[in-house]
Amino acid sequence: DGEQSLQASLSVKEKLQIALCLEKAGVDIIEVGFPISSPGDFKSVQTISQKIKNSKICSLARCIEKDIDTAAEAMSVCNSFRIHIFLATSTLHIESKLRKNFNEIIEMAIFSVKRALRYTDDIEFSCEDASRTTMDNLCRIVEKLIYCGVKTINIPDTVGYTVPNELSGVIKNLFERVPNIHKSIISVHCHNDLGMAVGNSISAIQAGARQIEGTINGIGERAGNTALEEVIMAIKVREDILGVSTNINHKEIYQTSQIISRICNIPVPSNKAIVGSNAFSHSSGIHQDGVLKNRENYEIMDPNSIGLKKVKLNLTSRSGRAAVKYYMNYMGYKDSDYNIDELYFNFLKLADKKGQVFDYDLEALAFMNKKHDESEYFSLQFFSVQSISNNLSTASVKLLCGKKTYTESSTTSNGPVEAIYQALNKITQFPIVLQTFQLIAKGKGKDALGEVKILVEYKKRQFHGLGLAANIIESAAQAMINVLNNIWQAKQVNKKLKNLKK
């Protein structure tokens, strides 16, 4: 399901990498593909079936003999596997899409299940569009499928139409009206068209469902699928009322999310629950103070529980003295080393101008009496780039360093931005390592600006850089100049503090 949302199909290697991440995270069942759909998908299912040992492999099939046979063939390399068969059961789908009656649907379903049982006793059946299927018809087909040997009955909210009390009502009805329901696991598969996929899944658990289908980061066609990481952490945090647990390795959640985001080229929204960059960050001064006193004041889960190493307190004009003192203490400074009132006053002025302030900015404000409108030490006077596709790129730069100007050039096979960065590094000689490079279009069409954000590491410390220009190369160069000035500023603070100690 997750791949249906992508603009381009994933390679066998990429799908295998995702499957290995899910296995490491402790996912019980991995639906690895739809083998009949293409030779490439067949190969992916076959390859993953050979490599995955701790999670059960599952493949999708329509109620068509060739689909089922192909699914079984693709997974035949592993000892135990599941075949997941699906067929629409709602009146709307049956009449307008399949052009059949409900008796014919039951016959197709039973025939397909019996064929799949030739290959494995682990059959899952999905009643597509179950949430819009009449209760009488749904109970009728579920009873017959369980009698035939289906071990998992899946109730999909295929179009994301249901609200939580409706879906829980469907599950409760199945348990009340289907006499052999105890012989099967009830599963739900929710879509997020109304933003209720996770809520529906949780309500289904409360009604008796014991399998939740979904995707990491909630990716999927249209508005996506149930975000598994949200369901997993809801079960962990609210075990007191849900009364169930999972075998998930929770500390793999964040890393798995990041890997899948990168492979699928779908960024995780900053406000995304559990795995978004803001999920454990705090900007409000009141919240920052509360978190510093006791994290449980504003955090219902420990970020370490999902494999996230640290919490981020954003330094903005909304931050209070508590956050400023926290960062100063984190950098090793005592309260007696600086004047908090003066520092906070200057911090607010800088935050209003700059938007976000970093730890090295605080150092400069505290110990260098730096004004926010002072000229920077490094200034790019001129740059020239020559680049040929699939060939070498050469950059020349003229850099003002204080009152002296230096000119340097560099040639590389890694593109014009790298050439400029190497030329600048030849002049400054700062041992920096580029960690992230992000390009964002600001505006549309020919008037759009390119915003470049970079993060570098210098002597085990992180420095941020930002550049904005119509020319992307210029924007990238400005971002690096921004970083170099921040590093130079930190170096001056360090020199001054050493002299004071002497």
Side-chain angles (χ1 to χ4, degrees):
D1 244 321
E3 192 182 15
Q4 293 183 36
S5 64
L6 308 183
Q7 294 181 353
S9 298
L10 300 176
S11 67
V12 174
K13 183 178 179 181
E14 289 170 329
K15 290 181 183 179
L16 176 59
Q17 188 177 355
I18 290 175
L20 290 169
C21 285
L22 296 174
E23 180 186 42
K24 189 177 180 182
V27 169
D28 300 294
I29 299 144
I30 307 174
E31 190 169 282
V32 296
F34 189 12
I36 194 68
S37 63
S38 73
D41 217 37
F42 181 94
K43 178 66 175 176
S44 295
V45 172
Q46 192 174 57
T47 301
I48 294 170
S49 298
Q50 290 172 327
K51 300 292 184 181
I52 298 299
K53 305 300 180 187
N54 299 318
S55 299
K56 175 160 280 191
I57 297 300
C58 172
S59 287
L60 196 62
R62 295 166 295 184
C63 282
I64 297 174
E65 291 180 57
K66 184 65 174 174
D67 278 32
I68 296 165
D69 296 343
T70 303
E73 182 185 354
M75 296 184 292
S76 62
V77 292
C78 59
N79 295 326
S80 177
F81 58 82
R82 171 181 292 189
I83 297 177
H84 182 180
I85 306 168
F86 69 97
L87 183 63
T89 55
S90 70
T91 302
L92 175 63
H93 279 220
I94 292 171
E95 292 180 354
S96 66
K97 186 175 76 172
L98 301 178
R99 307 295 172 89
K100 296 181 182 297
N101 61 49
F102 197 72
N103 287 331
E104 291 174 303
I105 293 299
I106 291 177
E107 290 175 7
M108 289 174 63
I110 291 173
F111 177 82
S112 298
V113 168
K114 287 181 177 179
R115 188 167 190 90
L117 285 168
R118 296 180 184 181
Y119 303 108
T120 178
D121 64 350
D122 191 349
I123 306 299
E124 175 176 347
F125 194 95
S126 277
C127 303
E128 186 187 1
D129 206 25
S131 59
R132 295 193 293 180
T133 300
T134 65
M135 207 64 231
D136 287 345
N137 282 349
L138 191 60
C139 289
R140 181 180 166 199
I141 193 170
V142 166
E143 182 179 355
K144 289 183 179 296
L145 290 170
I146 296 174
Y147 180 78
C148 288
V150 174
K151 288 187 175 181
T152 304
I153 295 291
N154 188 41
I155 306 299
D157 183 24
T158 305
V159 293
Y161 179 72
T162 306
V163 297
N165 69 314
E166 280 185 302
L167 188 58
S168 64
V170 170
I171 304 301
K172 288 175 182 176
N173 261 286
L174 289 174
F175 278 103
E176 291 170 358
R177 296 177 54 180
V178 177
N180 56 356
I181 195 75
H182 61 282
K183 294 183 179 181
S184 179
I185 295 291
I186 299 302
S187 167
V188 291
H189 174 117
C190 300
H191 281 258
N192 205 39
D193 298 70
L194 291 176
M196 298 192 194
V198 171
N200 283 332
S201 298
I202 296 298
S203 73
I205 290 173
Q206 292 176 303
R210 288 299 176 264
Q211 175 178 288
I212 301 298
E213 299 189 6
T215 59
I216 298 296
N217 298 336
I219 62 173
E221 63 178 336
R222 304 189 315 278
N225 292 67
T226 300
L228 281 182
E229 68 280 358
E230 295 180 24
V231 173
I232 290 164
M233 292 309 295
I235 289 172
K236 179 178 172 63
V237 173
R238 297 313 313 271
E239 189 175 356
D240 58 327
I241 63 167
L242 295 179
V244 294
S245 60
T246 73
N247 292 322
I248 291 293
N249 181 357
H250 298 87
K251 290 198 173 183
E252 291 296 324
I253 288 176
Y254 184 75
Q255 180 68 8
T256 302
S257 166
Q258 291 293 298
I259 290 172
I260 290 175
S261 172
R262 175 177 53 79
I263 291 175
C264 296
N265 195 29
I266 299 180
V268 177
S270 60
N271 65 331
K272 171 76 172 63
I274 314 298
V275 293
S277 61
N278 282 349
F280 295 97
S281 69
H282 307 273
S283 294
S284 162
I286 295 172
H287 285 213
Q288 289 173 340
D289 181 57
V291 166
L292 291 171
K293 289 173 178 173
N294 183 346
R295 287 167 63 166
E296 291 183 6
N297 280 323
Y298 290 103
E299 290 181 3
I300 61 172
M301 67 193 88
D302 187 340
N304 287 316
S305 67
I306 64 163
L308 191 59
K309 301 299 182 192
K310 60 181 180 179
V311 184
K312 184 170 68 172
L313 299 182
N314 295 320
L315 288 171
T316 70
S317 59
R318 297 180 302 279
S319 299
R321 284 174 170 78
V324 172
K325 286 184 68 174
Y326 166 79
Y327 272 104
M328 293 300 287
N329 293 337
Y330 179 78
M331 291 186 287
Y333 300 113
K334 300 176 184 177
D335 292 352
S336 57
D337 291 338
Y338 58 93
N339 184 316
I340 182 59
D341 292 329
E342 184 179 329
L343 173 58
Y344 187 65
F345 177 77
N346 290 326
F347 157 75
L348 288 177
K349 289 202 297 183
L350 180 61
D352 280 336
K353 179 178 177 62
K354 190 177 178 182
Q356 185 174 7
V357 175
F358 299 100
D359 54 1
Y360 44 81
D361 293 316
L362 290 180
E363 281 187 319
L365 291 173
F367 304 115
M368 297 293 292
N369 296 318
K370 182 176 172 59
K371 308 297 183 186
H372 59 264
D373 56 353
E374 283 183 13
S375 60
E376 304 286 7
Y377 183 78
F378 293 111
S379 176
L380 186 63
Q381 302 295 293
F382 170 83
F383 76 90
S384 173
V385 173
Q386 182 179 16
S387 185
I388 302 173
S389 61
N390 300 320
N391 213 315
L392 298 177
S393 296
T394 299
S396 297
V397 300
K398 182 184 289 186
L399 186 66
L400 178 64
C401 306
K403 295 182 180 180
K404 296 183 180 180
T405 301
Y406 298 88
T407 301
E408 192 59 79
S409 62
S410 180
T411 300
T412 178
S413 60
N414 293 329
V417 172
E418 177 66 15
I420 283 184
Y421 285 1
Q422 286 187 8
L424 291 171
N425 188 251
K426 284 184 179 181
I427 297 173
T428 61
Q429 293 293 302
F430 291 164
I432 62 176
V433 177
L434 181 64
Q435 293 187 324
T436 64
F437 181 99
Q438 184 181 20
L439 173 63
I440 304 168
K442 295 287 187 177
K444 296 182 179 180
K446 63 180 181 179
D447 296 324
L449 297 176
E451 180 182 84
V452 171
K453 293 181 179 179
I454 63 174
L455 178 66
V456 309
E457 184 177 285
Y458 171 79
K459 294 186 176 180
K460 298 183 179 180
R461 191 171 180 183
Q462 291 186 330
F463 290 85
H464 299 257
L466 174 66
L468 182 67
N471 184 322
I472 293 172
I473 307 299
E474 182 181 354
S475 182
Q478 286 180 2
M480 183 56 74
I481 296 297
N482 190 197
V483 163
L484 295 175
N485 277 307
N486 289 331
I487 293 174
W488 184 86
Q489 175 181 278
K491 287 167 67 71
Q492 303 317 301
V493 171
N494 189 47
K495 286 180 182 177
K496 182 173 181 178
L497 292 176
K498 284 183 178 180
N499 291 332
L500 288 174
K501 288 180 180 179
K502 290 179 181 180

